[in-house]
Amino acid sequence: MIDTTTKRLALFNFWIAFGSFALASVFGMYQVLERSGLLKFIQSPAVYFASVSTHGVLMAFVLTTFFIMGFGYYTATTSLKTPIWNPVLAWAGYAVSLTGVVLAAIPLLLGKASVLYTFYPPIQANVLFYIGATLLVVGSWFWTVIMIVMFNQWKKAHPGETVPLPMFATTTNAYLWAWTSVGVALESVFQLLPWSLGLVDTIDVGLARTLFAWTLHPIVYFWLIPAYIALYTYVPIAAGGKLFSDKLARVAFLLILVFGLPIGFHHLYMDPQQSNIAKFGHMVGTFAVALPTLLTGFTVIASLEMAGRKRGGKGLFGWIGALPWQNPMVLAAILSLLMLVLGGFGGMVNASYAMNAMVHNTAWVPGHFHLIFAGTVVTMYLAVAYHLWPKLCGKQLFSNDLALTQLWTWFVGMAIMTTPWHVLGLLGMPRRISSVQYNSLLTLAWEPYELLMIIGGLVLLGSAGLFVYILFKTQTEGVVDASITEEAAIVADAPVSSWLNNFIPWNLLILGLMMLSYGWPILQFFVLKTYNPTAWGY
Ligand code: HAS
Ligand code: CU
């Protein structure tokens, strides 16, 4: 049985995650309406930017971090078959992160932190926002430590054995997060906090953007890995088959860890501070990091095909129809992979320097990340919730049909909303605008797409509401079912090499790659005359 502490920790973390998700969906709806310019009385740039900032912070940082912590605690206890190491620390981390969210929410909602989720200077937020964001990250480090300790304790107690895949992947994510968060932590402690406290008059925005880029790319893989854990460990079983290859899965997670980190400058292609050589290096790495996703697509689809054929599917594509589409986990996987095709394609366009010049800072970019994050990743979070809620509450899922409807509407809504954004980006619409101040043939061409985006937003809001309703009903009114079992044990199908069961060599490799990719790009701000005023003699 899953012990009560784990259940509580998971549910408490998940409710913050999904509560934020529902709230952020309401803000999202307001934004598409405001942006369309159809309803004059809600037109307000001040409210719009406060809303987008809150929406972005809730979706990108609160939903993800709390979901990942809750899922991590669940995965660690169920796959290692041990209770959480140091639950006091786990609750302390929860409290620190939650305090951070509350502190950041105050200026966000008051319009005093309308700095968007990337909080790039020189736009400045109230100091409470930076303190809150820092605490959210500090609280998550408690989780990181717990995951790494549990991984090592298990290995010590089981010499020569292979750590189960779900925990191996969770620990990969813990290391990834440890490395990822350093960039923004440095920016926060040495630049944003002193600046917003008035201790320094000015900060170097180029350095701030460089440090943020350190975090901005790998953080998207921190969000993605739990979705991949579900794709690798839950989906094959839910489809009635087994994982095609445990080893390939481990290789994919390690490649994400190593290649995901040193490539953040694809967010800075159009910024002047970094050299072409540094940008080129990061670009090569960006193409390399598509590899583990292609591996994932291959392994998961192969697992689905094996399951479909086992269920009697024949011919080249007959296995697709034979899959249990009525299982929320399987349906979510199919929809999620479909969105990954186009979202990943958009990523490849962004990553190509010349094409980036065309789409950078246009509506294309939110199109890309809504499709791949809110689409591919969040769809798997939703499926994980449907999978875990019965186990955490000991009750049957309130309604399987409603869960399927919810997943379909999330997919359809996301398709309706993000397709126009991609087109609008190509038609030149900037991202991060509240309204268009000029009328011309160009903006006339935008109008039909703006309407579509409202329809998409409405469908998504309804879908998010339905999701929270299903979870709430399951927890409060679901049929108590003692037969609901805990997670099936997932063990490696064959012993794996110690390279795939150990993080030391990979961390050393990352250290080398990070020094290579960020060493000089950061150091130059302190050494070169261009950036360092003291070098000019004042
Ligand atoms: Fe991205 C901007 C490049 C993946 C999130 N990205 C963003 C931003 C966010 C974000 C939030 O190079 C905006 C940041 C901001 O606010 O400024 N991204 C990439 C690349 C990938 C990628 C190369 N992004 C993600 C993921 C995210 C995410 C994952 C969230 C979770 N992204 C960029 C770049 C920018 C950027 C630039 C900066 C743009 C700018 O100028 O500002 C890759 O990891 C993608 C690899 C994926 C593939 C797809 C393979 C397809 C598979 C599916 C197979 C399925 C089949 C169908 C065949 C190559 C594996 C099966 C069907 C059945 C029925 C079973
Ligand atoms: Cu990126």
Side-chain angles (χ1 to χ4, degrees):
M1 284 302 288
I2 316 159
D3 60 281
T4 325
T5 312
T6 307
K7 280 187 189 167
R8 284 228 176 99
L9 264 172
L11 279 172
F12 271 70
N13 276 285
F14 284 150
W15 269 120
I16 300 297
F18 294 132
S20 307
F21 165 70
L23 188 63
S25 301
V26 178
F27 286 114
M29 184 65 230
Y30 160 76
Q31 287 151 214
V32 286
L33 273 179
E34 205 273 356
R35 271 268 298 277
S36 73
L38 283 181
L39 304 174
K40 293 291 174 230
F41 65 95
I42 58 166
Q43 217 71 22
S44 157
V47 178
Y48 178 80
F49 285 109
S51 175
V52 186
S53 303
T54 315
H55 169 85
V57 167
L58 285 177
M59 289 294 198
F61 303 141
V62 186
L63 160 66
T64 50
T65 309
F66 280 89
F67 176 83
I68 291 166
M69 294 197 288
F71 191 33
Y73 292 131
Y74 178 85
T75 306
T77 35
T78 51
S79 70
L80 301 181
K81 309 273 173 238
T82 57
I84 300 282
W85 172 74
N86 208 333
V88 176
L89 202 64
W91 283 114
Y94 176 80
V96 172
S97 287
L98 191 57
T99 309
V101 173
V102 173
L103 290 184
I106 300 168
L108 274 169
L109 294 173
L110 292 176
K112 303 277 182 225
S114 300
V115 289
L116 308 170
Y117 83 107
T118 41
F119 45 88
Y120 288 126
I123 326 174
Q124 197 182 46
N126 180 283
V127 65
L128 269 189
F129 173 80
Y130 301 118
I131 296 176
T134 306
L135 287 181
L136 171 60
V137 173
V138 170
S140 71
W141 286 342
F142 291 42
W143 170 86
T144 306
V145 170
I146 294 170
M147 293 301 109
I148 294 174
V149 168
M150 287 183 76
F151 176 90
N152 287 317
Q153 282 179 342
W154 191 92
K155 264 190 72 173
K156 223 178 196 170
H158 300 79
E161 287 182 43
T162 306
V163 178
L165 179 61
M167 188 56 190
F168 179 79
T170 303
T171 314
T172 314
N173 212 16
Y175 278 111
L176 177 70
W177 182 232
W179 280 103
T180 300
S181 47
V182 172
V184 75
L186 292 174
E187 183 197 3
S188 185
V189 171
F190 292 108
Q191 295 194 285
L192 301 176
L193 283 169
W195 176 54
S196 59
L197 283 167
L199 301 177
V200 291
D201 289 340
T202 175
I203 54 173
D204 190 317
V205 295
L207 176 60
R209 288 174 71 87
T210 301
L211 291 173
F212 195 75
W214 168 329
T215 298
L216 182 57
H217 190 72
I219 201 175
V220 313
Y221 294 129
F222 173 61
W223 307 332
L224 182 71
I225 283 183
Y228 280 10
I229 295 178
L231 285 176
Y232 280 116
T233 65
Y234 293 157
V235 171
I237 297 172
K242 69 190 246 325
L243 179 61
F244 174 72
S245 165
D246 173 278
K247 270 195 203 114
L248 271 186
R250 285 168 206 263
V251 169
F253 285 115
L254 286 172
L255 287 179
I256 292 181
L257 173 65
V258 174
F259 287 133
L261 276 155
I263 60 174
F265 290 176
H266 62 231
H267 294 276
L268 301 183
Y269 284 157
M270 299 299 127
D271 281 47
Q273 290 88 6
Q274 298 302 340
S275 69
N276 288 345
I277 297 172
K279 288 175 185 170
F280 183 79
H282 284 237
M283 182 183 75
V284 173
T286 305
F287 285 109
V289 83
L291 194 71
T293 291
L294 289 167
L295 265 183
T296 302
F298 174 77
T299 313
V300 175
I301 294 170
S303 311
L304 286 174
E305 180 176 348
M306 289 193 319
R309 294 203 184 281
K310 212 169 127 197
R311 299 167 62 91
K314 299 259 179 311
L316 199 54
F317 295 115
W319 58 271
I320 299 179
L323 289 171
W325 286 68
Q326 70 292 355
N327 181 313
M329 185 60 73
V330 175
L331 176 66
I334 296 169
L335 300 179
S336 173
L337 285 171
L338 282 174
M339 291 186 276
L340 185 59
V341 179
L342 288 176
F345 166 77
M348 295 287 103
V349 169
N350 297 342
S352 317
Y353 189 92
M355 284 194 277
N356 184 275
M358 212 164 58
V359 297
H360 182 64
N361 271 345
T362 71
W364 170 282
V365 175
H368 159 67
F369 70 72
H370 278 78
L371 193 56
I372 204 162
F373 169 65
T376 302
V377 171
V378 172
T379 298
M380 291 315 294
Y381 287 11
L382 306 177
V384 167
Y386 292 139
H387 180 73
L388 295 194
W389 237 251
K391 296 177 195 301
L392 295 173
C393 303
K395 294 174 177 176
Q396 288 171 4
L397 191 64
F398 173 65
S399 162
N400 197 66
D401 285 349
L402 278 184
L404 297 177
T405 312
Q406 191 275 318
L407 289 169
W408 273 113
T409 45
W410 190 252
F411 171 72
V412 171
M414 206 52 82
I416 300 180
M417 193 174 72
T418 57
T419 311
W421 283 352
H422 282 94
V423 179
L424 282 168
L426 296 178
L427 288 175
M429 181 192 265
R431 73 184 280 203
R432 299 181 153 169
I433 51 165
S434 125
S435 61
V436 183
Q437 298 296 338
Y438 44 92
N439 283 313
S440 68
L441 282 179
L442 177 72
T443 53
L444 270 183
W446 295 348
E447 274 174 12
Y449 298 101
E450 306 226 308
L451 216 79
L452 272 178
M453 115 192 150
I454 300 179
I455 299 171
L458 261 175
V459 176
L460 288 170
L461 179 62
S463 183
L466 183 57
F467 169 71
V468 174
Y469 173 77
I470 298 170
L471 294 191
F472 181 74
K473 281 285 199 187
T474 302
Q475 199 161 341
T476 53
E477 289 173 29
V479 179
V480 177
D481 187 345
S483 73
I484 294 176
T485 50
E486 66 178 292
E487 212 49 71
I490 295 175
V491 286
D493 45 7
V496 297
S497 133
S498 66
W499 289 90
L500 300 181
N501 198 29
N502 168 10
F503 289 98
I504 297 169
W506 306 111
N507 279 314
L508 289 174
L509 180 60
I510 293 170
L511 181 66
L513 287 173
M514 287 304 274
M515 281 173 25
L516 204 67
S517 56
Y518 279 96
W520 177 248
I522 291 179
L523 207 63
Q524 62 167 347
F525 288 98
F526 302 94
V527 202
L528 283 188
K529 275 191 172 184
T530 321
Y531 299 115
N532 182 0
T534 52
W536 289 95
Y538 30 78

